[in-house]
Amino acid sequence: MVTHTNDTVRAERPGRPAGSRPLLITLLLSSMLTTMAGAIIAPSLPAMEKHFSSVDNADFLVRMVLTVPALMIALGAPLVGTLVDRVGRKPVLTASVGLFGFAGGSGLVLDNLYAILAGRLLLGVAVAGIMTATTTLVTDLYPGESRSRVLGLQAGFMGFGGVAFLSLGGLLADIDWRGPFAIYLVAMPLTLLVLRFVTEPPRAAATPGAPGDAAGARFPKLAYGIYALVLLSQIMFYLVPSQLPFYLEDIGGIGASGAGLAIALMSLANALVGLNYGKINKRFGFKQVAVATFALLATGYVAMGATSAVPLVLVGLVVLGCGVGLLIPNFNTWLASRTPVALRGRVMGGVTSCMFLGQFLSPALSQPATGPLGIDGVYLAAGALGATVAVVLLLLRTGSRDAAPGAAAPGTPEPASRTTAGRP
């Protein structure tokens, strides 16, 4: 790859873009923002519900404050993915990070539940742009092994962001339920970093009708199966931030800060596993990792629902976090390896859409079941569902490229061998 900097032409190692370290750090910090889309205010939910107790259906609407960004992300991500491909990665990312700080911080001053919900809708638009643009940039700039390492780093940073932001959110929620909204303001200075360090990758050269050209590129069939798995996994995963604060309050009298720390523990496990995804991807096939992911989700939820003992719930959260740490980097790497460059924004936008549609649907599907089953029963049902998916995936036949990591899609520029990819 050849880059032009200050009218000087210099060769770069494959997979290592110019100015790679500041660029990579900026992309990872931007990715961390997505962990604040909803879960960061989870510890505030009980106090927020009391504050708005005079509002009709306050119990349901307060839970929607947590998850309504996910609805907007799900609806907006396909459009954002198209903008990423047509307008560019950097413009979408810059505008999205700025909007994130403005919309997320609006909860600090708004005292109307419906106005807060409106701000959360705008936040969803911002997160759709951030997640789709950052993931597309990573898949563009880092091929081969380098891609799986950086996507693992992305998951790790998101997990560590969850640890820091959720812990801080719980502490601030103990002071005032509005406190966690202040954390969204960290996006403001990050906008300047995006403007300074993120560069628009060159468009892939392709003749009309060629596989790398948008007109000739084919939407990978694999995407539909991965979309379904992402949707299902997020319905399961979001049973933690939407129900755990109430569950811990019931079984152990644990307040907002304790709930925040418990969710942060899951994020820590998520981060540690995500950081090692590149090594895992070198040893195991995509399908094998997907089977392990759902087996871990199943085990975690069974541990959480099998008893009301808080220590066992914490063990379940750690196991669950290990599964979540594998989930998105594995599916993103698998899908990116089969997607032409010209369609990556749209295809990755579909992953973002399914992720957050699942998060939005989760409380709507689980809340009615908590009456007859209780939260522990819902967690046990999630465990059974995860085990079923793991068995189905294990028995499912896939092509050799799906079973082996590092396979390249037709029309997708990849290094000639796995050893040529540069390290991030």
Side-chain angles (χ1 to χ4, degrees):
M1 177 168 62
V2 177
T3 58
H4 299 264
T5 306
N6 297 327
D7 300 322
T8 302
V9 179
R10 61 187 178 88
E12 289 282 341
R13 286 181 293 170
R16 186 165 186 141
S20 59
R21 190 170 297 278
L23 169 61
L24 178 60
I25 291 172
T26 301
L27 292 176
L28 294 176
L29 291 176
S30 299
S31 299
M32 287 174 64
L33 296 180
T34 63
T35 64
M36 294 190 279
I40 194 172
I41 66 165
S44 290
L45 295 184
M48 192 185 301
E49 184 176 327
K50 292 176 182 177
H51 181 81
F52 291 110
S53 59
S54 61
V55 178
D56 291 340
N57 300 315
D59 56 341
F60 176 75
L61 291 175
V62 164
R63 284 171 172 80
M64 288 299 99
V65 169
L66 178 73
T67 59
V68 77
L71 174 63
M72 204 62 192
I73 298 166
L75 295 175
L79 175 60
V80 168
T82 301
L83 288 175
V84 165
D85 284 335
R86 294 184 178 177
V87 176
R89 281 59 160 150
K90 181 175 180 176
V92 173
L93 181 58
T94 304
S96 299
V97 173
L99 179 61
F100 183 96
F102 171 77
S106 65
L108 277 171
V109 296
L110 297 174
D111 198 33
N112 180 288
L113 186 53
Y114 292 99
I116 291 174
L117 285 168
R120 305 294 286 176
L121 288 171
L122 288 176
L123 180 68
V125 175
V127 174
I130 293 169
M131 195 154 197
T132 302
T134 54
T135 303
T136 305
L137 280 164
V138 168
T139 59
D140 284 345
L141 297 170
Y142 300 95
E145 285 184 13
S146 188
R147 175 183 297 155
S148 63
R149 281 194 296 271
V150 175
L151 287 172
L153 283 172
Q154 183 187 45
F157 265 67
M158 291 168 68
F160 283 124
V163 174
F165 296 138
L166 289 167
S167 300
L168 181 58
L171 294 173
L172 292 175
D174 270 342
I175 299 171
D176 189 278
W177 64 266
R178 295 181 184 277
F181 287 96
I183 304 175
Y184 291 100
L185 299 178
V186 300
M188 295 306 189
L190 184 55
T191 306
L192 301 178
L193 295 182
V194 174
L195 286 169
R196 172 66 179 84
F197 294 117
V198 174
T199 56
E200 187 72 20
R203 302 278 176 162
T207 56
D213 178 65
R218 294 183 178 181
F219 199 89
K221 294 181 180 179
L222 173 69
Y224 301 109
I226 287 181
Y227 289 169
L229 291 173
V230 170
L231 176 68
L232 184 60
S233 68
Q234 294 303 300
I235 291 174
M236 295 171 60
F237 162 67
Y238 232 62
L239 295 173
V240 173
S242 65
Q243 301 294 345
L244 188 69
F246 301 94
Y247 189 45
L248 290 177
E249 192 172 50
D250 288 343
I251 67 175
I254 294 173
S257 59
L261 290 172
I263 299 174
L265 179 65
M266 180 186 70
S267 294
L268 177 61
N270 172 358
L272 294 175
V273 172
L275 289 176
N276 288 283
Y277 172 73
K279 297 176 182 177
I280 295 169
N281 180 242
K282 289 173 68 174
R283 295 193 58 186
F284 300 100
F286 296 122
K287 193 186 85 166
Q288 291 174 294
V289 177
V291 171
T293 296
F294 280 93
L296 288 167
L297 294 180
T299 303
Y301 275 120
V302 168
M304 291 170 63
T307 178
S308 59
V310 173
L312 189 57
V313 171
L314 296 179
V315 170
L317 285 170
V318 171
V319 175
L320 191 65
C322 292
V324 174
L326 295 173
L327 183 70
I328 297 304
N330 187 56
F331 285 143
N332 278 340
T333 308
W334 192 354
L335 192 52
S337 72
R338 303 285 300 277
T339 302
V341 174
L343 292 180
R344 281 204 184 130
R346 275 160 277 193
V347 171
M348 293 302 162
V351 175
T352 302
S353 180
C354 291
M355 278 183 63
F356 288 93
L357 178 60
Q359 292 182 15
F360 174 76
L361 291 175
S362 183
L365 294 174
S366 65
Q367 189 61 26
T370 58
L373 297 179
I375 298 177
D376 55 342
V378 169
Y379 285 161
L380 288 173
L385 179 60
T388 301
V389 174
V391 171
V392 170
L393 284 172
L394 186 63
L395 299 176
L396 187 67
R397 290 186 177 183
T398 58
S400 59
R401 283 180 302 174
D402 296 343
T412 307
E414 295 285 6
S417 70
R418 292 171 66 89
T419 59
T420 62
R423 292 180 178 272

